[in-house]
Each structure stands twice: as C-alpha cells, then as structure tokens.
C-alpha cells in the first residue's frame, strides 16, 4: 500500500523524546489553575444546596454582605436573562434559578478579601428552601409517579407515553433482530447496570477572572477548551466574545470533565460586581458534588449466536441518567454498543433520562464503556456456554473495511481485526491461568473527532520554530506537535517550541476532546509547516533567481529540485531565517480548517483477575491493551493513554461509584470513599500499539485517548465472572457485591 | 482559636481543664487538621503536646514491657526493630494508616482518642493487652485501651484528661500478634472490618489469646469468647471455626457506604481466622 510505505520513512515521528513540559511539571514551575494571583485579588466561595430537590423560597445575603472583608455576593439575578438552549442549561447548572435540582447545586457565591473571610461569610447567607420529592436512580426516574425534574424538557424523539424525565431517544439499526434470534442456537438476554463515575482529575477546577466596568475581561483557568469558555462566559454575562481574553493554564487532568464550564462565569460575575480580580478554586467535595460525572446506566442486551460463533442477531436498550439536565450520552452508548461487529440484524435504542443529580459531563469516550460492558458480557457468556474461543468468535464477526456499521455507515479502513489478531498472538492470551483466576476479553470502539482547528508556525531569526496551537495539552500533545513540525521542516525536535495560545492569538479552536488533538492539531501543524516550507522555498528561489516550483525542501534545507533547476548549494533554514527581514519579512505558516477524516479506533483488552472467595475482593493480576493508533507519533504517550484508560477502567469496574442515600445526598464526595485505584491496586499494564493508518491524516494518525477506556469494564467483568464462576451484571463489582453473588449461587 | 505548646502533660491538662470552648489536643494532627479543614471541628483551644519531653520516646522497661510516647509516629514505630520483633501486629496496624506522608505524623494515641470504631491500631492494641497512661486534673491513672472509646467519636476521658503514652505488656516467650483489615483497595483506605489477634503458645498449644474487632460495632470490641475459642487448641480447623463463629456473633455493625451488616459480619470471621494463623506462626517462630 502506497500510503503505508509513505508513512514509514519518518526521522522524528515514532521516536520517544522527553516532553517539553516535563521539567516544569516535576520541578513545580508549571502553573496550574490555582497557581496565579493578581493585585487586589479576592477569593470566592460558592454556596450550594444541601437538598436533592428544593424550591428556593428566599435568599437573604444581607448579613454576609455586611461581614468583614466581603466585597460581592452574586445570585442568579447577576447573570444574563433570556438565554436559550445549552447556554441556559449551563447557567441553570452553575447558578440555580427557581429550584435547586441536586445536592451541591450552586445557589449563591461570595467574594471576600481572604478565603477564610469568604468561607465565614458563606455561613451567613440565609437560604430558605421548600424541599421537594427527588429521584436519583435511572430506572426509578422513568417510573410512573416519579418526581418530574423539568416539565417539557423532552424533544420530539421521545415516544409518546414515556415519563417526562425521558428527554431524548435514539433508535437505529438494520435488519430484523427477531429474525436473527430465530436463527440462533442460543439466545441470551440480560440486564446490566453501571454507576456514575467521576473523571477523578487530581487538579480541582480553578480560575482567576477579571471583568471591568468597561466590559473587558481576562480569564485564566484550567480547561480543555478556552475558546468554549470564552464563548460561554460571554453569553452568560452578556458581554461581547472578543472583549474577554481567556488563557488556559496547565491542566492537572481533565478526561472530558474539563470540557464543561462550572465556575468561570461565577468568578467573572463576582469580579464585575466588586471591580476586583476574583480567584475561585473548587474544594474537592464541590468537584464531586457539582461538576459532571459520567452517566449511570441501566441496559438490556439480547444476542443470538449460532454454534459456529456467528452472531445472528442483536438488540439493546440503553437507559442513561445524566443528572438534572438533558445530555446523557445515550446515542453514543447505543451507537458504540455493537460497532465492533458486522451484523445482519441489529437494533439499538437509547434513552436520555433526567434525575436529581449533577449535570453529567463528558468522561473519556462518553457512553461507550458501559455499552461494551453489557454487550461484551453477553458475548462472553455465549462463548462460555457454546464452548467457543472468545477471540475467534470476535474475529468471525468483526467489523472490517466495507462492512456496514451497526449504526449505519460503511466502515472505511479500520483496525479491529488487527487488534484481535495481535491479542491472540500475545503471550498473555495463551499464558496458563492460576487456580481460581479468570481471564476476560473485550473489544471496544470509539468514533474520534476532528473539529475546528487553527494553528500558527512562526520562524525565529535563528531558525528555531515557535508553534502556537489552540488545544490544551492533556496528554503530551505538545511533544507530538513539536515532532510533527520537526518532521516536516527537517529540524531537530528541540528546535520547536509549542505553546498553547490564548483566545486572542489564534482563530477558534474546538475543545481538546474527542481524541482530536494529535489528529486535528497535528494535521494543522503539518499543513502549517508545509505552508512555511513553501515560503522558505520561495525565499531560496528568489535568491537563486529560479522559480519557486524548482525548489524542494529536504532535511531542513532548500535545494534545487533537479539538475535542470540549477546548481546551488543547499540553503539551510537558519540561513533563510537570518535574512528574512531583508528578503520579504517574517516567515509564518498557518492553517485553519475543520478537518474531516478523524479515523475511528478499536481496541482489544485481555485481563486476568483473581477473586478472594471469602471476602469478594478482586485482584487484577495481568492486563494487556491492544489498540489501533493509526500511527503513533510519540509511542510512549500513546502507551500512556492506553495504560491510563485501563487504570480508570479498573477503578470504574471494581470500586468507583456515586453513592446516594435515600435523602438524595451524595455520600462519598471525597477520595476516601470515592475509590479511584491507587498504584498498588494496579498490575503493570502491558501495551501493544497496532498501526493501521488512518487515510484521513497525512501520517495516518487516529485518536487514541478515549478508545482505551471502552473495553476495560467488560474485560474485567468477564475476568471476574470467569474467576468467580458467576456472571457479574452490575458495576462496580465491589467486594460485597461479589461475595453476595457467590453466596446466592451456593 | 488559641494555639498552646505546653511543656508538660500537667500543663496540657491544666490548659484543657481551664478551657471553656471546644478543645483539641494536637500530636500528629492527621485527624484534627482534616476535621479543621473540612469545617467539622473548629477548636477554640488547640493544645500541641509535641513540645513535651519524652513524647517521641519508645522505651523498653526492664520487665520487658514497653512505653510508647503519645507523639511517636507510625514511621518511627515502623523502624524500631526490637519493638517489631516483639509486637509486629501493633506496628503493622499503625503502619496501615494513610500514606507515607501520613505515616510521618500519625500516632497510636491519636488513633485511639479520635474514637473511630474503624481505627486500625486500636484492635491490635486491645489484642495486645495495652494500656494508656492518662494525666488529668485528679492526677495520673492507667486504663486499658478497650476502656477508652465509649461510642463513635467519644471516649471515657474526663475534662482535662490527656493520654501521655501507650504501655504494652511484656511479650514473653512464645508470643505473637497480628492485625488484618479489609479494605476495597490495597492502600489509602479505611477499615471495613479490622481484626487483631495476640496469643501465646507452648509448643503447638495456645495458652492465652485475645481477639479484638474493629468497624463492626460502635466501638472496637474485645471478643473474649473468640480468644477463649483458641486457648487449649493447636489452631486446628475446629478451633478456627469456633473462633470465626464467636467473632461473627460479637458483631453489631451498621450498613453504610463502606459495607453492609452481612458483609462486615462475614468478613470479621474470615479476618479473625486469618489473623490468628499469622499470630500463631509468629508465636512459633
């Protein structure tokens, strides 16, 4: 294949240089959201509802306003009126209107001269609530008689007769699953549930905002997308977008959770009222209670299989709970569910259900991991009962280039089969299992995204390169950008510095989400470098007095394209740069587009687990991730994404969950009882990078950040179920749940 | 908030006795500072006992008994080889608490006086037969560790009373102790169930045994029936089964976010058995 050969001759791509932000991060020099100050700065605290659902009768802040050091108090009245659509949802979420919709819902905020003064004054704000009935469980919220979160929130996609808490519906597929089930030798239908989990980023949301009486503002914040923050803040505060300049800090983890806006407009509203800079740092408990965990789910999956392993039919209903607002990612859950398989008969239905919980936010491949848990568990059970090899069955049914996807389109070039084959050949798959241990296999799928992207590449007078991109670096992307620019320009990696530019410096850049950064900012970087090369060649051509078309760029030098072009010594980038002021001015390449062609990505995971039959405790003893990266620009950071997805998946599968008491209050708003895995909970996670190039990227890159969390829930559940000898259908598989299942069986 | 640094336990006691508001003693601070930061407790008087002479001393007395000062940290305990040789269960129990950073601060006395039924070091101390030295307005006294906690977050210590040290009895020959806890993770967690066992053996036969359980009742329990189940046995399967039944029977847990009544009760029996096996092996070593 020509394209594959073309992408094999790299000099920089595929190597593993140190990341440019590494030294700053290990020495503490890197500046995160809470690391900045401003003269006259105030500290803000947000006052939150202790009730899951309540009418806000009255807010009396007069005592707080009179307290020592208090400079401003804001409530909903201090934000824009008349918003619609998602902007209204965002505002309603970050500052309640008539009702508090979940435990932790913001109702007011205070700015004072110290954080202690703000905290003391917060206790003086009197909020009178009329407590209303609440519901937090997805299945309960769909039942007749469940409290209605918001009347009229449903759109036209919801079938008539459903509870008003069901606000959106997705229905897709092809063929007739019933016909498929009739052809099957074995049909299994089971219900699965997953709990809401938080992204668990270590850095709480933090910002420093200034908004003056002239309507001009500056905002520093930790976010995955500062242009989005700019747009949302402008709308919620009713100022013009370009009057607010937003700078993204270093980011201490996001995983999708920092694609949303929770505090920045509050800091700006306080600043506008006090006419002072305002810093707002979320306490950890607020992060759990009032930012976005992922959706919880309740799912029914039915699959029919023939004795030879052919999946003859499949259907699923996926109910996703996304808190007190529309937006649970049920369409992704439904569309990803059967994506790894080429099926004649398939149908998937998704429901978006509202409850009295915080507004869900994106979490790494939103919706897909839960779907894989349900579908891949049923496939595992079918393989067990029919005595079939789990990889052979998946290979037999695998989606391939040209087959019709479960959600409609035909696949372009994809790498699922290659991941399955690599998994089958991996020593892990054939390693003997210890007595009482179990092995689990799962595939996973994520779409990947491209999005609006703008970059600029400026040459310095010494020939080094300043690359400005607009996508916050959440996974080592600055290293990858430097590498792609260096590859194109033929300069050393260390000669390129990549900066995350602020909103005033580049055109609009979509959020760092959808595993898009290395794909889209990478593509833009390559195009900007190629634009720069054209300009460099032109300068050399002018100097040599030949046509620009007769000049080529090779190994960091302009050279004549052939003997006919003339006989000139190669002209290095440093030479051209040193004279650029006299030869036509600054040399800057740029690229702006909404690329199309983000290649989808598949993965196959292998997990071994042991279960303590006396306590129900699970130990993950071995873990192997096999995933298609298209082309790994920086293999270490690709491997890091694979390992990170697996680690988060282990937490989600085993111990992480939002626990609500009967009163609708979150019981575990801290890292003690919200149990993300610690290092000693994890085995070394082995990785295999499969490279099936994406035709939509100059180097073949596919996004890798999200697919890695799609298979773990299912792969771990399959390993645990096989170890325990009992099918685990509810996550998390906390010890008490496993022990209960073992007891129920015996 | 007033911050005090008395130079004697008598002064510390006098400060606490004279205080009229909320008072907290501060040693490692691994509970007090967390409570302060999360607005659970804001003391009017915070009495730091770390300036008192001897609070960080570990002393082995001539009779083989031990005195561990009130501010000895987990990290210091974990590096004391002679103490580990005699009371490995007590040391491993304190060592389980928190992270490396917390280990540099956390203390046996703080863990006890915080009054949590899930405190890791308390079942180990009770199993060991430990006592605490108390200084108060009425003078000094010595009470058993099991006599300190009376309810979650509540102790039997009177106004102005402060614990100055933990005392461990002479270990003697053929002794061994062990502590196990169940947590859903491997580190950085709070006991869902804890079990401490200390026993002595002559040859293969157990001559004395004490069993204590954490996180299965409002206070850490000394389960005398469980200890009695082991005495006279060679830790055979029948003795272990009786031990587990006695441990389960003593449990009066609650169901909460960390575990259900059924789970805690079952696991208490499992851990008691497992801890007994470790203590028995250590006693025979």
């Amino acid at each position: 294949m020509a394209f594959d050969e073309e992408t094999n001759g790299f000099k920089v791509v595929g190597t593993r240089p140190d990341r440019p932000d590494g030294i700053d991060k290990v020495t503490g020099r890197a500046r995160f959201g809470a690391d900045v100050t401003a003269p006259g700065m105030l500290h803000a605290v947000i006052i939150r509802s202790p009730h899951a659902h309540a009418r806000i009768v009255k807010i009396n802040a007069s005592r707080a306003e009179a307290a020592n050091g208090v400079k401003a108090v804001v409530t909903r009245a201090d934000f824009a009126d008349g918003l619609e659509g998602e902007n209204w949802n965002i505002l309603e979420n970050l500052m309640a209107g008539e009702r508090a919709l979940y435990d932790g819902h913001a109702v007011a905020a205070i700015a004072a001269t110290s954080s202690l003064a703000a905290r003391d004054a917060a206790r003086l704000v009197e909020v009178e609530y009329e407590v209303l009935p609440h519901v937090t469980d997805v299945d309960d919220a769909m039942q007749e008689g469940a409290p209605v979160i918001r009347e009229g929130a449903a759109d036209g996609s919801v079938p008539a007769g459903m509870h008003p808490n069901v606000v959106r519906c997705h229905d897709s597929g092809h063929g007739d699953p019933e016909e498929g089930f009739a052809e099957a030798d074995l049909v299994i239908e089971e219900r699965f549930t997953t709990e809401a989990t938080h992204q668990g980023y270590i850095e709480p949301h933090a910002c420093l905002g200034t908004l003056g009486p002239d309507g001009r503002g500056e905002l520093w914040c930790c976010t995955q997308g500062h242009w989005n923050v700019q747009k949302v803040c402008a709308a919620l505060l009713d100022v013009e977008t370009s009057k607010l300049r937003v700078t993204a800090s270093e980011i201490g983890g996001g995983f999708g959770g920092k694609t949303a806006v929770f505090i920045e407009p509050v800091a700006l509203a306080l600043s506008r009222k006090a006419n002072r800079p305002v810093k707002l740092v979320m306490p950890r408990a607020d992060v759990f209670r009032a930012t976005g965990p992922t959706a919880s789910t309740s799912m029914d999956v039915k699959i029919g299989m023939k004795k030879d392993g052919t999946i003859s039919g499949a259907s699923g209903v996926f109910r996703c709970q996304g808190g007190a607002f529309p937006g649970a990612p049920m369409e992704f859950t439904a569309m990803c569910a059967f994506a790894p398989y080429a099926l004649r008969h398939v149908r998937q239905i998704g429901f978006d259900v509202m409850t009295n919980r915080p507004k869900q936010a994106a979490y790494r491949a939103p919706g897909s991991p839960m779907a894989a848990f349900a579908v891949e568990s049923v496939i595992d059970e079918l393989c067990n009962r029919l005595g079939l090899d789990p990889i052979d069955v998946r290979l037999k049914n695998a989606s391939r280039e040209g087959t019709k996807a479960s959600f409609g389109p035909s696949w372009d070039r994809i790498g699922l089969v290659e991941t399955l084959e690599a998994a089958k050949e991996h020593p892990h798959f054939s390693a003997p299992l210890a007595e009482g241990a179990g092995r689990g296999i799962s595939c996973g799928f994520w779409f990947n995204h491209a999005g609006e992207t703008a970059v600029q590449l400026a040459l310095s007078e010494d020939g080094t390169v300043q690359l400005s991109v607009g996508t916050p670096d959440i996974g080592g992307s600055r290293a990858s950008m430097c590498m792609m620019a260096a590859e194109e320009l033929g300069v050393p990696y260390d000669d390129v510095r990549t900066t995350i530019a602020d909103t005033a410096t580049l055109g609009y850049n979509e959020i760092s989400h959808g595993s898009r950064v290395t794909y889209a900012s990478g593509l833009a970087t390559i195009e900007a470098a190629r634009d720069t090369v054209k300009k460099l060649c032109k300068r050399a051509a002018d100097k040599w007095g030949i046509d620009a078309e007769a000049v080529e760029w090779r190994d960091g030098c302009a050279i004549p394209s052939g003997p006919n072009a003339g006989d000139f010594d190669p002209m290095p980038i440093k030479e051209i740069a040193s004279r650029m002021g006299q030869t036509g001015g600054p040399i800057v390449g740029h690229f702006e587009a909404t690329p199309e062609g983000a290649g989808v990505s598949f993965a196959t995971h292998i997990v071994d687990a042991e279960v303590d039959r006396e306590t129900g405790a699970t130990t993950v003893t071995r873990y192997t991730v096999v995933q298609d990266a298209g082309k790994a620009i920086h293999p270490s950071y690709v491997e890091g994404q694979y390992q990170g997805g697996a680690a988060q998946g282990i937490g989600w599968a085993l111990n992480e969950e939002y626990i609500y008491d009967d009163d609708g209050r979150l019981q575990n708003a801290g890292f003690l009882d919200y149990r993300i895995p610690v290092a000693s909970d994890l085995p070394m996670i082995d990785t295999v990078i499969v490279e099936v190039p994406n035709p939509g990227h100059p180097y073949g890159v596919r996004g890798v950040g999200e697919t890695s969390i799609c298979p773990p829930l299912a792969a771990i559940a399959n390993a645990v179920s096989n170890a325990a000898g009992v099918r685990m259908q509810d996550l998390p598989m906390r010890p008490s749940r496993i022990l209960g299942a073992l007891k129920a069986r015996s | 908030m007033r911050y005090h640094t008395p130079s004697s336990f008598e002064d510390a006691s006098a400060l606490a006795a004279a205080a009229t508001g909320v008072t907290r003693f501060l040693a490692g601070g691994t509970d007090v500072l967390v409570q302060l930061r999360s607005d659970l407790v804001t003391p009017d008087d915070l009495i730091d006992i770390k300036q008192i002479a001897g609070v960080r001393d570990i002393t082995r007395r001539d009779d083989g008994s031990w005195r561990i000062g009130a501010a000895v940290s987990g990290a210091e305990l974990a590096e004391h080889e002679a103490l580990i040789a005699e009371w490995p269960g007590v040391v491993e129990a304190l060592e389980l608490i928190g992270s490396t950073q917390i280990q540099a601060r956390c203390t046996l006395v703080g863990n006890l006086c915080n009054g949590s039924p899930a405190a890791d070091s308390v079942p180990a101390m009770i199993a060991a037969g430990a006592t605490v030295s108390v200084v108060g307005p009425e003078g000094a006294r010595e009470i058993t560790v099991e006599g300190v906690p009376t309810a979650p977050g509540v102790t039997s210590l009177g106004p102005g009373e402060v614990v100055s040290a933990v005392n461990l009895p002479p270990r003697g020959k053929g002794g061994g102790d062990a502590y196990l806890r169940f947590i859903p993770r491997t580190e950085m967690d709070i006991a869902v169930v804890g079990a401490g066992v200390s026993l002595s053996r002559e040859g293969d036969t157990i001559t004395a045994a004490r069993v204590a359980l954490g996180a299965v009742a409002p206070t850490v329990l000394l389960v005398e029936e469980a200890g009695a189940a082991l005495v006279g046995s060679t830790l055979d399967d029948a003795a272990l089964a009786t031990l587990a039944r006695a441990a389960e029977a003593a449990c009066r847990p609650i169901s909460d976010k960390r575990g259900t009544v059924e789970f805690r009760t079952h696991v208490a029996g499992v851990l008691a058995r497992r801890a007994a096996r470790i203590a028995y092996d250590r006693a025979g070593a």
Side-chain angles (χ1 to χ4, degrees), chain A residues 49 53 64 83-84 117 125 132 137 294 304 323 328 341 350 359 362 395 425 485 500 526 554 568 577 596 662 667:
Chain A
S49 166
H53 195 189
L83 295 176
E84 288 179 351
V125 176
L132 301 170
D137 177 78
T294 189
Y341 305 109
K359 185 180 194 290
L395 274 169
E425 285 161 19
I500 311 302
I526 292 165
R554 191 178 302 161
F568 303 102
E596 291 174 7
D662 292 341
Q667 296 295 297

Side-chain angles (χ1 to χ4, degrees), chain B residues 23-25 31 108-117 119 122 132 134 141 143-163 218-220:
Chain B
T23 306
R24 284 290 184 278
F25 290 108
D31 285 308
L108 288 171
V109 171
N111 200 213
L112 174 63
C113 294
N114 187 48
S116 167
V122 177
V132 290
V134 178
R141 63 184 182 124
I143 55 175
T144 61
V145 169
E146 58 268 31
V148 175
T150 55
V154 185
T155 70
S156 62
L157 299 172
E161 283 198 315
V162 54
V163 174
T219 61
V220 177

Side-chain angles (χ1 to χ4, degrees), chain A residues 198-199 201 205 262 282 286-293 358-359 658:
Chain A
H198 197 272
Q199 300 82 354
Y201 33 82
H205 299 257
F262 299 108
M282 269 185 137
D286 286 12
V287 173
F288 277 109
R289 292 168 75 205
T291 66
K359 185 180 194 290
Y658 265 50

